[in-house]
Amino acid sequence: MEKFPLKGTSNLSISSAATNHPLSADHTSYQSVASKTGKGSSSSSGSERITTSLTTPGVPVYEADEDGMIDITPGNGGLTNPNYPYSYAANGSRQDGVGAPSGSGNNGGAGHGGAAAAATSAGNGGDGGGLSSPTHTRFGRDFHHSDHEDTLTVSFSGKIEGISFAGMTDTSDDIPGIGQYDDFHTIDWQRDIARDRMRHRYIVKKRQDSFWDLLKGAHDAWSGWVCVLLVGLFTGCVAGVIDIGASWMTDLKFGICPQAFWLNREQCCWSSNETSFDSGNCSQWYAWSEIFTSSREGFGAYVISYFFYIMWAMLFALLAASLVRMFAPYACGSGIPEIKTILSGFIIRSYLGKWTLIIKSVGIMLSVSAGLSLGKEGPMVHIASCIGNILSYLFPKYGRNEAKKREILSAAAAAGVSVAFGAPIGGVLFSLEEVSYYFPLKTLWRSFFCALIAAFILRSINPFGNEHSVLFYVEYNKPWIFFELVPFIGLGIIGGFIATFFIKANLWWCRFRKYSKLGQYPVTEVLIVTFITAVIAYPNPYTRMNTSELIYLLFSQCGISNQDPLCDYNRNFTDVNSAIEIAAAGPGVHKAVWLLILALAMKLVMTIFTFGMKVPCGLFIPSLALGAITGRVVGIGMEQLAYHYPKIWIFSGECSTGDDCITPGLYAMVGAAAVLGGVTRMTVSLVVIMFELTGGVRYIVPLMAAAMASKWVGDALGRQGIYDAHIALNGYPFLDSKDEFQHTTLAADVMQPKRNETLAVITQDSMTVDDIETLLKETEHNGYPVVVSKENQYLVGFVLRRDLNLALANARRIIDGITGQSLVIFTSAQPVQNLGPSPLKLKKILDMAPITVTDQTPMETVVDMFRKLGLRQTLVTHNGRLLGVITKKDVLRHVKQMDNEDPNTVLFN
């Protein structure tokens, strides 16, 4: 899409050398050239005119471009394909090395021969006969030069006007909006990467011109690092605010700190001199029942506390749902399915905008505080991606190039997980394994840096008020026994079953919500679910408490200071220095186990109805809670087995000493990883997140065993994880790189149009503005192949519908003489004998190197190209002649049909 110094299909032939060439200007198929010399040349005369004139009958004469560029095109009688460009070095030799003349352009400075040696340095006196190597681009041709080689802009008035790098200008400056995309459209990765490569080449070339250009080059080189630094800083700050706000509002449901109402319960009790207090309550903290009845105990106090718990939950949920509905509809849900789709190259305008960022940040605090069965970790990825998108516009390199912007968004997603769990390495791996579509090595480094900065900022804010930046830091003293791999794998299998049940049930409910009247009343649904959740949750202490606190409790070891019923063992803590002995479970443990089983059932059911509602809601914390409850119950069972039968062979004598050899908290950790892995289908990143989350590095093998077992069970019972399932449910055009295409169809079976249908094409030089506008009105295609002519449908290039509309509108607005009868020309040449209105030249918007396949290419290869190259469309040819087009829409529809699914469920554009 650039404007090049030597444009066209064949760039320049200098008279003194070109006459020796078999395809030179005196050949009947090549035309006259008029060029000019000037101050940039080593010619002895700065204003001499170099011309070669021909008047061959029957051959049209071509004139220069309006921007002064010369084009030499073989006529129809030429020996070569008229659409294939040959370019000539300044000595007259063709760039592909054919027919280099002898004795041309020796020492710079000898009359006309010196003028021809423009590819050489003006003062080095070297041989001018070397070839310059062409670099093919999608929107024209660019050339590499050594430090002493410059490109000449040759114009038509008779002198060389000096050195110019016109080819490196960004055409988006010429026509506003060129290179951008409409809403719900797919980006063309190859096109955007080519544009960035041209921009970078131009900046590197200009770096030697002045100190200012050197500074601009340095800024361009560092802009990626500066951008991810800012993303990390802002993400860490926003995460700290969200953590503090959610903690305060969660405690507000239970009571208030009258001395300083902005403090949560833990902070309020920091100033207390009491050595111990029940369930986090101290004399500084007033429960709502205490404010109204001066008592924390009794039926009346229980009813008042119950009422305030439900009231605050309803208020927070109402605010969250109302804010989402009024200001930012895209702020609902987890956001990860949409982020995956956006990173695969899909455009969803406003999904990563400032309003979505603000409402999602406030809404996640409110919905977590409402006590709903959801977490804030998934939405943190969305929030970080919003920050990355907004900050990328400070750097045009990323803000104006959709493919480059996705490198910043990948780093932002890593920062989101980093601050959600305090797990920077796990965040990078999560972005690589689960979210990102295109992840080059430099994006890996930047993601690592971004996640590091975000975690550092969050640690500085210290929202958890402890010395650890992780959410559930625990320390286990005992190593695991080899036999425990069996229950760990068993937990993985159970986690896979729980996850599969959850995914299928949640999809059924979301589908029902989508296609029934319930979907028309999102706020009402949120309030009903919140009310039911609050009513059921309050009587059970394990569902009443914050889910993160519950997970931390389940992960923890039982010690002297732990007063929870889960630790009601028949132990006698007489010697603090002795190891904790294994003991029989007391009545508190039995009661806690039953309450935990009830909590498991309640949380599983409520999460099914909660995930997908019109409030911000994540899935990581509920999944971890389900797994932690399951694991803790299994761990208590194993512990009691070891207590009653310490000498059986499975414990290898480890439990015969009387020490506590089984750690129930470890089982909770492994179970949490199993369910989360089954729900999301994560493996590597999940294990790293879990051991970063808990500090349990020595338990990597149990975590790996459980994660793999869970994934195998999940894959056996259902193909998709929760995020991929929601992508399919919402109809987003996402080609999963992990799936395999196992069918034997060919490109000819999928391309559009089908046989006996006409293909909408544009000819390179015979259609008028009216013809093209009629074509745009009658068809809805997002792009059109450009061919030589209707009869001779050999491919010239590809032009996008949006670029065509913008170019036509721009031309009518600013170019005089453009009418409906003006020819639209996609070549650099035009006939001089043009008696009609001025032609409109649109070669600058033409993609001259579209990806093509033959009609016999297997669809497996085509699908692979779409996945790995990020294609928007590919053109199908047969013996060089254009047959049809395959778009991403056609590929997705074909994959659905081959899998016996409804192809109309996908949102196509």
Side-chain angles (χ1 to χ4, degrees):
M1 306 231 343
E2 319 296 333
K3 197 171 69 178
F4 291 86
L6 297 176
K7 283 175 65 174
T9 53
S10 261
N11 288 320
L12 183 63
S13 175
I14 304 297
S15 61
S16 60
T19 51
N20 298 322
H21 196 280
L23 294 177
S24 62
D26 61 3
H27 193 282
T28 55
S29 65
Y30 278 80
Q31 319 312 327
S32 66
V33 179
S35 66
K36 25 185 193 179
T37 61
K39 57 188 177 183
S41 152
S42 51
S43 171
S44 57
S45 174
S47 59
E48 287 184 306
R49 184 177 181 87
I50 308 170
T51 57
T52 302
S53 184
L54 275 180
T55 54
T56 306
V59 178
V61 179
Y62 289 83
E63 65 176 15
D65 262 7
E66 62 197 6
D67 53 7
M69 305 302 174
I70 300 296
D71 182 83
I72 310 172
T73 306
N76 292 333
L79 302 176
T80 58
N81 184 343
N83 295 307
Y84 183 78
Y86 294 111
S87 60
Y88 289 80
N91 63 354
S93 60
R94 207 170 78 189
Q95 291 285 11
D96 56 4
V98 176
S102 58
S104 58
N106 292 320
N107 290 332
H112 297 308
T120 341
S121 169
N124 66 357
D127 184 20
L131 295 175
S132 63
S133 61
T135 300
H136 295 266
T137 71
R138 302 190 67 179
F139 306 100
R141 296 171 72 87
D142 177 37
F143 301 89
H144 290 305
H145 305 280
S146 69
D147 291 341
H148 300 291
E149 291 176 333
D150 289 313
T151 306
L152 296 177
T153 299
V154 185
S155 59
F156 199 63
S157 60
K159 62 179 187 291
I160 296 178
E161 300 209 303
I163 308 306
S164 168
F165 295 99
M168 302 303 178
T169 57
D170 191 342
T171 57
S172 57
D173 295 335
D174 300 337
I175 303 175
I178 291 289
Q180 300 303 308
Y181 301 93
D182 290 327
D183 201 7
F184 294 108
H185 280 232
T186 305
I187 73 170
D188 189 332
W189 288 87
Q190 297 302 306
R191 176 189 186 201
D192 283 1
I193 290 170
R195 286 177 60 230
D196 183 71
R197 197 161 48 237
M198 292 302 301
R199 182 200 57 77
H200 178 71
R201 224 175 266 151
Y202 171 62
I203 288 174
V204 169
K205 193 68 166 177
K206 292 281 285 181
R207 208 182 283 175
Q208 304 164 6
D209 292 0
S210 67
F211 181 70
W212 176 244
D213 287 321
L214 183 66
L215 282 179
K216 287 200 290 188
H219 171 264
D220 182 76
W222 280 96
S223 59
W225 292 100
V226 174
C227 189
V228 295
L229 170 68
L230 293 176
V231 171
L233 289 171
F234 279 95
T235 303
C237 293
V238 172
V241 171
I242 290 173
D243 285 334
I244 293 168
S247 173
W248 174 72
M249 285 193 285
T250 300
D251 287 341
L252 199 60
K253 292 188 298 183
F254 300 99
I256 197 169
C257 190
Q259 296 173 342
F261 70 91
W262 57 87
L263 297 179
N264 63 21
R265 178 161 49 188
E266 185 182 1
Q267 293 164 341
C268 185
C269 292
W270 283 347
S271 60
S272 174
N273 294 324
E274 300 161 49
T275 55
S276 66
F277 41 86
D278 178 41
S279 302
N281 290 323
C282 59
S283 57
Q284 313 289 344
W285 176 264
Y286 283 77
W288 292 113
S289 60
E290 202 172 355
I291 293 174
F292 288 94
T293 65
S294 302
S295 172
R296 294 188 181 185
E297 305 297 332
F299 180 75
Y302 184 85
V303 170
I304 289 175
S305 297
Y306 204 161
F307 171 76
F308 271 93
Y309 181 89
I310 296 173
M311 186 199 73
W312 281 111
M314 297 286 286
L315 177 62
F316 292 150
L318 176 65
L319 279 173
S322 301
L323 286 172
V324 167
R325 186 172 188 185
M326 286 190 291
F327 296 106
Y330 283 150
C332 66
S334 164
I336 292 181
E338 287 79 9
I339 298 297
K340 285 186 71 168
T341 309
I342 288 170
L343 287 178
S344 76
F346 195 56
I347 302 286
I348 308 179
R349 298 284 177 216
S350 302
Y351 197 83
L352 301 177
K354 59 181 182 299
W355 275 109
T356 305
L357 169 65
I358 295 167
I359 300 303
K360 189 105 179 185
S361 302
V362 175
I364 194 59
M365 288 190 280
L366 291 166
S367 53
V368 167
S369 306
L372 289 164
S373 185
L374 49 82
K376 58 180 182 291
E377 283 63 34
M380 279 305 308
V381 176
H382 187 185
I383 288 167
S385 298
C386 289
I387 293 171
N389 177 63
I390 292 166
L391 292 177
S392 70
Y393 285 100
L394 298 176
F395 305 89
K397 173 181 178 179
Y398 297 101
R400 294 172 61 183
N401 191 309
E402 293 291 345
K404 294 293 289 179
K405 184 191 291 181
R406 275 147 182 76
E407 296 178 16
I408 301 298
L409 296 182
S410 292
V417 176
S418 173
V419 295
F421 292 113
I425 301 173
V428 175
L429 291 174
F430 175 81
S431 180
L432 170 61
E433 179 184 3
E434 187 65 21
V435 178
S436 295
Y437 200 81
Y438 174 69
F439 206 81
L441 191 59
K442 66 179 177 183
T443 304
L444 180 71
W445 299 336
R446 287 175 183 167
S447 300
F448 185 81
F449 178 65
C450 190
L452 167 71
I453 295 297
F456 172 75
I457 295 299
L458 187 67
R459 176 70 187 85
S460 304
I461 296 172
N462 193 15
F464 306 121
N466 56 29
E467 70 273 18
H468 305 293
S469 61
V470 297
L471 206 53
F472 313 118
Y473 188 82
V474 290
E475 288 182 287
Y476 302 135
N477 303 319
K478 291 288 180 183
W480 52 281
I481 304 169
F482 182 75
F483 175 78
E484 287 184 285
L485 273 180
V486 174
F488 291 152
I489 292 172
L491 277 174
I493 295 170
I494 295 170
F497 278 108
I498 292 175
T500 303
F501 173 76
F502 167 76
I503 291 171
K504 290 184 181 297
N506 179 253
L507 281 180
W508 173 83
W509 178 249
C510 289
R511 202 172 283 114
F512 173 77
R513 177 195 291 128
K514 186 175 183 180
Y515 297 112
S516 69
K517 286 190 175 181
L518 180 65
Q520 301 171 17
Y521 305 100
V523 178
T524 306
E525 182 196 5
V526 169
L527 291 177
I528 291 171
V529 172
T530 305
F531 180 77
I532 295 172
T533 303
V535 168
I536 297 174
Y538 190 82
N540 188 338
Y542 296 117
T543 51
R544 184 193 313 167
M545 69 172 63
N546 187 10
T547 311
S548 297
E549 292 177 20
L550 172 63
I551 296 170
Y552 181 70
L553 174 65
L554 295 169
F555 283 4
S556 300
Q557 262 187 304
C558 286
I560 300 173
S561 61
N562 200 323
Q563 302 296 320
D564 192 85
L566 268 177
C567 296
D568 181 21
Y569 290 93
N570 298 326
R571 291 192 179 110
N572 185 14
F573 293 109
T574 53
D575 186 0
V576 177
N577 296 319
S578 66
I580 298 174
E581 62 182 10
I582 194 165
V589 174
H590 293 103
K591 180 184 177 183
V593 167
W594 285 111
L595 288 174
L596 283 175
I597 292 172
L598 287 173
L600 174 66
M602 178 261 176
K603 282 194 169 293
L604 178 58
V605 172
M606 294 317 300
T607 308
I608 287 169
F609 291 101
T610 302
F611 188 70
M613 287 197 313
K614 298 303 181 185
V615 291
C617 52
L619 201 58
F620 278 45
I621 290 294
S623 302
L624 289 173
L626 294 173
I629 292 171
T630 307
R632 186 75 182 207
V633 171
V634 172
I636 291 172
M638 286 295 296
E639 185 185 44
Q640 292 308 297
L641 182 65
Y643 172 72
H644 291 292
Y645 306 99
K647 295 192 183 337
I648 58 176
W649 64 272
I650 61 173
F651 297 116
S652 309
E654 297 276 350
C655 298
S656 58
T657 60
D659 291 346
D660 191 3
C661 61
I662 302 292
T663 308
L666 173 59
Y667 284 77
M669 193 167 92
V670 171
V675 174
L676 183 57
V679 168
T680 62
R681 300 292 199 274
M682 292 189 298
T683 49
V684 180
S685 56
L686 171 68
V687 172
V688 175
I689 286 172
M690 287 306 298
F691 81 70
E692 281 191 281
L693 199 61
T694 58
V697 183
R698 65 163 73 176
Y699 304 110
I700 288 179
V701 172
L703 289 170
M704 291 174 69
M708 283 309 304
S710 173
K711 178 173 171 55
W712 282 335
V713 171
D715 288 343
L717 298 176
R719 286 189 307 121
Q720 296 175 315
I722 188 69
Y723 299 133
D724 293 330
H726 273 266
I727 287 173
L729 177 67
N730 293 326
Y732 298 132
F734 181 73
L735 267 177
D736 194 347
S737 56
K738 296 189 282 289
D739 289 344
E740 292 184 7
F741 185 83
Q742 300 175 339
H743 309 288
T744 56
T745 49
L746 300 176
D749 302 324
V750 181
M751 71 177 188
Q752 299 292 335
K754 299 299 183 187
R755 287 174 173 78
N756 303 322
E757 296 178 14
T758 56
L759 173 64
V761 295
I762 295 174
T763 57
Q764 65 176 355
D765 55 8
S766 61
M767 291 180 71
T768 64
V769 170
D770 283 344
D771 294 336
I772 289 184
E773 287 181 340
T774 302
L775 180 67
L776 290 170
K777 287 177 186 174
E778 291 178 352
T779 60
E780 296 181 352
H781 308 310
N782 288 324
Y784 301 90
V786 177
V787 296
V788 175
S789 65
K790 291 284 187 184
E791 300 76 25
N792 186 13
Q793 294 207 355
Y794 286 98
L795 187 63
V796 176
F798 191 84
V799 63
L800 293 178
R801 178 191 191 92
R802 186 178 191 276
D803 292 355
L804 206 52
N805 273 321
L806 287 168
L808 291 176
N810 186 70
R812 285 188 180 277
R813 189 173 67 252
I814 66 172
I815 301 178
D816 294 333
I818 297 297
T819 69
Q821 299 306 310
S822 298
L823 279 180
V824 179
I825 297 177
F826 289 93
T827 64
S828 297
Q830 84 176 64
V832 171
Q833 299 90 343
N834 186 10
L835 303 178
S838 304
L840 174 59
K841 298 182 182 179
L842 294 183
K843 186 181 177 184
K844 65 176 69 174
I845 68 169
L846 181 66
D847 179 357
M848 297 176 66
I851 304 293
T852 60
V853 296
T854 68
D855 55 338
Q856 296 302 305
T857 305
M859 273 307 294
E860 183 180 1
T861 304
V862 175
V863 172
D864 230 24
M865 290 171 65
F866 271 88
R867 284 176 181 151
K868 294 177 179 176
L869 295 177
L871 301 185
R872 186 177 184 175
Q873 70 277 317
T874 182
L875 304 178
V876 184
T877 61
H878 178 74
N879 293 339
R881 186 181 295 275
L882 180 67
L883 288 185
V885 182
I886 298 177
T887 63
K888 194 173 184 181
K889 165 174 56 175
D890 300 323
V891 173
L892 286 160
R893 181 184 285 125
H894 184 65
V895 170
K896 288 276 187 185
Q897 287 173 341
M898 291 291 102
D899 293 338
N900 296 318
E901 298 176 20
D902 182 11
N904 296 320
T905 58
V906 181
L907 178 68
F908 290 129
N909 259 314

